[in-house]
Each structure stands twice: as structure tokens, then as C-alpha cells.
């Protein structure tokens, strides 16, 4: 049986991918420090190690014992807005801690890695939809902290023979197998809109309506977590063949903040009051993926690209989790 180590496997995306891997017959071990997730969030039927990725001795021991065919590395801080207030915790947790993980992998001779990167590495792109070859010029510290990891991976590949798949996520949403998007505290657009639909918040704040976009609000490319998770398994399985994979994961279609609120109004039937507030520092106006590379290299095809379907999937889960 193939074995994998999943860092951050108690989280929204890491947990969803762990479930798909488990169901595909992998032996899955989740390593998570549980700072942003509870023990109950570790999927059933997987092994669990409570540890921080920066705990070198513990991670190295786990790798030596497990001898995994690959590591899928999700553990990270993920809030662009927070990274503009406390950049240091992003460089510590995302960059320095990942170096520690890479050193542990090197010591244990485990050299296959699937890494969660982000569209935030592009910053304000020159071209839309964004190809992987676009200029990398992050506008927030979160994107920079991930870009630094991408650069380290290139050297681990070149010098130490690592095989790496770097997946640059656009905006992940929706639910699969009873797991949906939830952060503590919540800062992401769709969960906050749905909280407002449930009456748990009075209104949704639109962070800026003076961007250079048709309705003035930021445009993002929303991808269903099921499609995103599926791409990870494909990347893992193609690592041997390709050696290096670097792909965007998005649908290639952009929706403004106002368009997402409209979709949520259609799906939920709720009024969802919205108020325009100042811009959030570090937010690029428009991030839309070219997904050509993922289609070509991974044979990947998104199956849930419709925005209303993505929001409906998130809404179904959100009501079960947070509804009265
Ligand atoms: N956003 C917003 N109000 C909120 C949360 C987010 O207007 O309460 C906007 C945010 O400025 C960005 C988009 O929604 O343009 C998506 O933000 P999110 O934090 O969900 O993801 P990000 O794009 O930062 O990864």
C-alpha cells in the first residue's frame, strides 16, 4: 500500500485531500499541531501525529518510521490580510518551518513533495488569465512567504534531487464529504457571506469598490475544494513521471466580490446586506488562473466550475454546521 504524510491534515483542504487519499487506498498519516483545528477534525481512518512541522526531531523520526512515498504539505498560515499586520509570523510559520520540514525530509531520504502554494505569489499580474510564467511580485507577506518556499524547493530539486509538485491555489471554496470552509477567526469571503445569510452577522463588508474592475470590487477565481483535492492526487501520482510540476489550480473564470454576494443571494434566498468599507491592504484587484498547465500535465478537468454550484455546496455545509 502506498503511504503518505499529510501536514496540516486536520484543516479544511488538507483534511479533504486526506479523505480522498484514504478512499483511494493510501495509508495516510496526518501531522498537525492543532493550532487552527481541533482533534475531531482529523479524518477518520487515518493515523495522527500531533506535532509542529518545525519540530525537527519529531518530524524526522516520523518520516524514518513511516517511509512515505510522498509528503503533502498543507500546514501554513493563510490569511493575506493578517500577513500585512504580522508578516513575521508568516515568514516563521510558512517559510522557516517549511525549511525545517525539508531538512527532516532530506535527513530521512524522503524526497517527494506536493506543496500548497498560492495565487498570491503573482501579486498584481501583468496578464490575465495568469500563466505560471507570469511575473512573481507578491503584494502581501503571505504570498512572499510561499514564494520563498517555491524558491527553496527549486534548489532542493536541483541540488538534492527532490521531486516537487507546486500547486498554486486560487480561491478555494465549497464542501466535500461533510467538510467545509471554516477558520477561527473567519476572514474569508464566502463563509462570511453565508454567516450573514444565516443572520449571524448583520452585514458583509465589501473591502473596496474603487478597484479597476467593472464593478469596482476585487475579482477572484473560485475553485471547488473537490476539484482542488482531485488535482493533488493526480500530482502525487505523476511526480515520478514529471519530476517537477508547477501548476495553477483555478477555473479560469473570475468573479467580483459583488458577483459572489449576488450568487449567495440567489442560492440562499436571503437578503444579505452589504456595506462598502475601505480596501484591505495587500489585496490585488484581479486574480484569475490560466489552468492550461494543470489540464495538460495532470489530465485534470474541473467538474464543479459553476459559481452557484460552489456557493450552494458551501451553503449546504454551512447550514448544517452553523445553522440553528
Ligand atoms: N473580502 C471582502 N470582505 C470580506 C472578506 C473578503 O470584501 O469580509 C474580499 C477580499 O478583499 C478579496 C476577496 O473578498 O478581494 C477574497 O478574499 P478572501 O479573504 O476570501 O481570499 P483571498 O483572495 O484573500 O485569498
Amino acid at each position: 500500500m502506498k503511504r503518505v504524510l499529510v501536514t496540516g491534515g486536520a484543516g479544511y483542504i488538507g483534511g479533504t485531500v486526506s479523505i480522498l487519499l484514504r478512499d483511494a487506498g493510501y495509508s495516510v498519516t496526518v501531522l498537525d499541531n492543532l493550532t487552527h483545528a481541533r482533534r475531531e477534525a482529523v479524518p477518520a481512518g487515518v493515523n495522527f501525529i500531533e506535532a509542529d512541522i518545525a519540530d525537527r526531531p519529531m518530524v524526522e523520526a516520523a518520516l524514518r518510521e513511516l517511509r512515505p512515498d510522498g509528503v503533502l504539505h498543507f500546514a501554513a498560515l493563510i490569511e493575506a490580510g493578517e500577513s500585512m499586520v504580522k508578516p513575521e509570523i508568516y515568514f516563521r510559520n510558512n517559510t522557516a518551518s517549511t525549511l525545517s520540514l525539508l531538512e527532516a525530509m532530506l535527513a530521512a531520504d524522503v524526497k517527494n513533495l506536493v506543496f500548497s502554494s498560492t495565487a498570491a505569489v503573482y501579486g498584481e499580474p501583468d496578464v490575465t488569465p495568469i500563466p505560471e510564467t507570469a511575473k512573481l511580485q507578491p503584494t502581501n507577506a503571505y504570498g512572499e512567504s510561499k514564494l520563498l518556499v517555491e524558491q527553496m524547493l527549486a534548489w532542493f530539486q536541483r541540488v538534492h534531487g527532490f521531486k516537487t509538485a507546486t500547486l498554486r491555489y486560487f480561491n478555494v471554496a465549497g464542501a466535500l464529504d461533510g467538510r467545509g470552509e471554516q477558520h477561527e477567526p473567519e476572514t474569508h469571503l464566502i463563509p462570511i457571506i453565508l454567516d450573514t445569510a444565516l443572520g449571524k452577522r448583520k452585514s458583509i463588508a465589501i473591502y473596496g469598490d474603487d478597484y479597476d474592475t467593472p464593478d469596482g470590487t476585487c475579482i477572484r477565481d473560485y475553485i471547488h475544494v473537490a476539484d482542488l483535492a482531485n488535482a493533488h492526487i493526480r500530482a502525487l501520482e505523476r511526480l515520478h513521471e514529471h519530476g517537477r510540476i508547477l501548476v495553477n489550480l483555478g477555473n479560469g473564470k473570475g468573479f467580483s466580490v459583488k458577483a459572489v454576494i449576488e450568487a449567495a443571494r440567489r442560492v440562499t434566498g436571503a437578503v444579505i446586506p452589504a456595506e462598502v468599507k475601505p480596501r484591505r491592504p495587500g489585496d490585488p484587484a484581479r486574480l484569475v488562473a490560466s489552468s492550461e498547465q494543470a489540464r495538460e500535465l495532470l489530465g485534470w478537468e474541473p467538474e464543479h466550475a459553476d459559481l452557484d454550484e460552489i456557493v450552494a455546496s458551501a451553503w449546504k455545509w454551512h447550514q448544517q454546521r452553523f445553522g440553528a
Side-chain angles (χ1 to χ4, degrees):
M1 187 195 273
K2 290 234 175 196
R3 293 176 303 276
V4 284
L5 182 74
V6 180
T7 78
Y12 166 48
I13 299 173
T16 304
V17 175
S18 295
I19 291 171
L20 288 200
L21 285 163
R22 179 200 68 194
D23 293 349
Y26 283 85
S27 165
V28 178
T29 301
V30 162
L31 186 139
D32 198 300
N33 64 9
L34 299 184
T35 28
H36 291 273
R38 281 164 299 115
R39 175 69 182 85
E40 304 84 83
V42 177
V46 309
N47 307 307
F48 177 58
I49 300 170
E50 185 173 343
D52 194 288
I53 53 164
D55 186 339
R56 252 299 297 275
M58 184 104 155
V59 175
E60 191 180 321
L63 289 167
R64 286 188 189 281
E65 193 189 321
L66 230 76
R67 307 240 46 82
D69 300 285
V71 173
L72 293 100
H73 177 33
F74 297 93
L77 300 179
I78 56 162
E79 287 169 26
E82 182 189 50
S83 81
M84 297 302 280
V85 183
K86 299 182 201 162
E88 59 282 3
I89 65 172
Y90 281 74
F91 294 113
R92 169 64 55 200
N93 284 277
N94 293 359
T95 314
S97 296
T98 298
L99 176 58
S100 176
L101 169 68
L102 293 176
E103 288 170 329
M105 289 175 66
L106 185 62
D109 197 30
V110 174
K111 294 187 173 179
N112 295 332
L113 179 74
V114 179
F115 171 60
S116 305
S117 190
T118 168
V121 297
Y122 296 115
E124 291 287 356
D126 317 331
V127 210
T128 292
I130 312 171
E132 289 78 359
T133 49
K135 226 168 157 190
L136 305 172
Q137 43 194 7
T139 53
N140 55 58
Y142 165 63
E144 189 78 65
S145 74
K146 290 277 186 174
L147 178 56
L148 288 167
V149 173
E150 289 196 8
Q151 289 169 354
M152 293 195 299
L153 293 185
W155 290 103
F156 272 70
Q157 168 126 26
R158 188 160 151 188
V159 178
H160 295 305
F162 272 49
K163 293 187 172 183
T164 63
T166 295
L167 308 179
R168 291 181 179 153
Y169 304 171
F170 284 64
N171 288 59
V172 189
L176 181 70
D177 278 342
R179 281 184 100 81
E181 189 179 7
Q182 179 186 4
H183 311 97
E184 193 54 57
E186 192 52 75
T187 63
H188 287 82
L189 181 65
I190 292 179
I192 292 183
I193 294 175
L194 298 181
D195 260 357
T196 314
L198 279 180
K200 296 200 177 274
R201 295 175 191 248
K202 280 221 298 283
S203 68
I204 167 85
I206 297 174
Y207 294 146
D209 69 349
D210 56 352
Y211 285 92
D212 183 17
T213 59
D215 68 17
T217 66
C218 288
I219 292 178
R220 296 288 181 273
D221 182 341
Y222 294 86
I223 171 172
H224 197 294
V225 68
D227 287 330
L228 183 96
N230 178 282
H232 285 70
I233 307 209
R234 288 168 178 269
L236 180 69
E237 290 176 349
R238 282 166 173 74
L239 253 191
H240 284 285
E241 186 189 327
H242 293 296
R244 177 168 184 259
I245 293 169
L246 172 67
V247 295
N248 288 334
L249 291 178
N251 285 316
K253 277 189 282 180
F255 294 95
S256 70
V257 172
K258 282 186 179 167
V260 177
I261 296 171
E262 277 310 320
R265 287 179 178 143
R266 279 194 298 276
V267 165
T268 65
V271 179
I272 315 186
E275 282 178 275
V276 177
K277 293 277 167 74
R279 291 181 177 198
R280 190 173 68 177
D283 271 344
R286 194 188 296 259
L287 286 172
V288 179
S290 159
S291 55
E292 287 307 305
Q293 281 292 309
R295 290 168 199 266
E296 211 171 286
L297 282 182
L298 306 181
W300 175 79
E301 197 62 52
E303 287 172 12
H304 312 279
D306 179 68
L307 179 64
D308 284 26
E309 185 187 346
I310 294 174
V311 173
S313 152
W315 175 232
K316 190 170 164 219
W317 180 83
H318 207 89
Q319 283 173 292
Q320 283 162 2
R321 178 74 183 79
F322 301 107

